[in-house]
Amino acid sequence: MAKILIVDDSETLRIQLRKVLEGKDHEVVEACDGIKGLEALEANDGIQLVLCDVNMPEMDGLTMIERVHENSKFNTIPIFMLTTESSPEMKSRGKAAGVRAWVTKPFVDAKLLGAVEKITSM
Amino acid sequence: MSKFIFKNSSYIIVYNIPYEVITTLSSLFKQKGLRVAIVEDIEGLKDAFDSINYYCGTFISCTSQEEYDQINSVINSETGIQYISSETNIVVPDSSKILLPSSIEVQDLEKLTNDLLADLIPKRMDELSKFSANFIFPSLFPQFSLGFDDANIIEINDFTHQIICDVSGDVFKGRAWVKVNLNKLRKMHSDFETMREDLLIDNCREFVNQYLGVVNTNMMSLGYSPSVGLPSVYSKQDCESIQLSGPHIPVVSLKDENSIFHVRLGIVLLDGKCKLDMSELQIKEPDSEIDFF
């Protein structure tokens, strides 16, 4: 069981993810853009994984990740990108920014849960 | 001849065409959101072709094979040249049409116009759009099934909201316009009857986002690296007051059997000189494997 932050501007996606993750007893915190995501990290102790969209208003996901990795309080938290973007260039940017895994939407519940278990149990 | 100054619109070039035909063509193209550049000599033709940002085709009339060949060498485009002349001894490609001026009627020109615009749509784009919409719909709307199929309609007015989302690649740009009727959608399942309107719209918005994600994943098989923008939502009232500018984008159109969704997709090359070649496209589902770094 892990505490997981979901950062996505789509409430539909956040609801879908919450259902999948809470079904396996994970605790979920939500944020609707990169700025709110950074605020949620500050406001919630013990977040063990971040699932983050790329394209969002206010602050996009890759910028948020760069900010997270600049902050010594959070820079060890693993981050998954969960996005419709799947170009090699975009994945390279994510990798360079410190992303641990790239999940392309639509996600498959079992595969996502497997990846979450793999990372949070380490 | 003085240099043309072309706006960021799509143009049809007309060369040496009788005045009454130009008048009818101009009117037909204006309805489709295209402008007409009238040229009278080869220099003007070359100038127009080089200066236009978004070129959709040329209507020409000429009196000799030499003149026709010269025009072809100036235009040098994959986009069809429509040949209109009484000179039947000139050899033109099968794709070009020959109409004798004496027989030209408005409906002939209308057909010619529609054929030319239809030819601007990349082959297999309709197939890709249909596959993407049908693939992604069940993951966003698991409550009911619905099938998208080709729709030979340009506009529908029976909608409550329109979602617009841009895609951009190295050499092309595109846009999806998706009209949705929330009143009809609410009747499809009890989940939707009481759902907050903003959440129902968000569901549709995410459908558009992921639909373009599947389109883009497939475009990558052609060697492009497109990215999806943020979808914007407009109410029907908003749509009546906004003016969307930019080039004419030839679209493929889909709708479902209940006319809840109307999906249009258009892609144009940034150089504007020829249509995107999608003939080698291998349509497939996006890879659901997770990449670990």
Side-chain angles (χ1 to χ4, degrees), chain A residues 92-111:
Chain A
S92 294
R93 270 192 67 193
K95 190 177 175 183
V99 168
R100 290 290 292 279
W102 196 277
V103 186
T104 306
K105 294 176 187 173
F107 62 89
V108 174
D109 296 3
K111 287 184 178 172

Side-chain angles (χ1 to χ4, degrees), chain B residues 81 108 140 168 196-197:
Chain B
I81 296 174
D108 295 327
L140 273 308
S168 56
R196 283 178 6 239
E197 182 170 292

Side-chain angles (χ1 to χ4, degrees), chain B residues 7 16 31 76 97 166 193 204 207-208 210 241 266 275:
Chain B
K7 295 180 179 175
N16 208 20
Q31 290 168 25
N76 189 26
K97 311 281 192 300
D166 289 333
E193 283 174 15
C204 299
F207 163 66
V208 177
Q210 293 196 25
S241 59
K275 66 186 178 191

Side-chain angles (χ1 to χ4, degrees), chain B residues 170-232:
Chain B
D170 337 11
V171 295
F172 67 86
K173 65 177 177 181
R175 177 171 280 180
W177 297 260
V178 177
K179 286 180 176 174
V180 57
N181 188 319
L182 290 191
N183 301 327
K184 288 184 180 175
L185 182 57
R186 283 194 188 281
K187 289 177 184 160
M188 297 306 292
H189 195 274
S190 56
D191 282 6
F192 305 139
E193 283 174 15
T194 53
M195 190 181 277
R196 283 178 6 239
E197 182 170 292
D198 63 323
L199 184 54
L200 198 53
I201 291 171
D202 183 74
N203 223 319
C204 299
R205 188 177 174 273
E206 191 57 25
F207 163 66
V208 177
N209 185 37
Q210 293 196 25
Y211 155 77
L212 282 176
V214 181
V215 168
N216 278 1
T217 300
N218 278 282
M219 296 294 287
M220 281 166 52
S221 72
L222 295 172
Y224 301 115
S225 293
S227 60
V228 185
L230 282 171
S232 304

